Amino acid sequence: MGDLRPYFGIGLPPGGAPFTGSRFEHRAGGGDRQEVADRITAEDLVAVQTLWVTVPAPVSLDILEGPLGAQLSGLLHAIPRDIDMIDADAVVVADGSPADQAWSVLCEQYGVNWVFASIS
């Protein structure tokens, strides 16, 4: 637990800053908001940069403006949003599931870092 305190900025001396990764899920209010659910936004792409992950510009543009974004949106829509993934049944992330398909598209077809693919 002691190692997590500085990560989240707890107990740091004046002027000390938490690690940027401690903020990734809070960018622009988080990705569970109704108006952005089931799609990857520019805010999401900025958020993963707090984890030192870079999504290549052509992939980012395809996510935001092209068929990749539409494909991922359809897959994300098929993943339940009313549960925490830690509580999800194995079937939600099983081979061939929408979550697995989204992972495969991003990692295998587009070479996106696994950290980004797993938090999207």
Side-chain angles (χ1 to χ4, degrees):
M1 185 71 148
D3 291 335
L4 290 177
R5 292 182 185 280
Y7 184 83
F8 288 102
I10 299 169
L12 292 178
F19 286 76
T20 58
S22 68
R23 302 262 310 135
F24 87 92
E25 79 266 24
H26 299 291
R27 289 285 314 133
D32 291 336
R33 296 180 337 274
Q34 187 64 34
E35 66 271 17
V36 296
D38 303 330
R39 64 186 179 98
I40 299 172
T41 67
E43 288 291 344
D44 294 324
L45 296 172
V46 170
V48 298
Q49 289 185 44
T50 68
L51 300 172
W52 295 94
V53 173
T54 302
V55 178
V59 177
S60 294
L61 292 172
D62 198 1
I63 288 171
L64 296 174
E65 302 172 347
L68 176 57
Q71 179 183 12
L72 292 172
S73 180
L75 292 168
L76 291 173
H77 183 73
I79 301 170
R81 281 189 283 133
D82 59 344
I83 58 171
D84 286 332
M85 290 308 285
I86 197 165
D87 297 325
D89 291 332
V91 70
V92 174
V93 293
D95 288 348
S97 69
D100 179 61
Q101 291 176 47
W103 171 279
S104 294
V105 166
L106 287 170
C107 293
E108 295 170 12
Q109 294 179 24
Y110 288 86
V112 172
N113 182 290
W114 69 270
V115 172
F116 174 74
S118 65
I119 62 173
S120 298

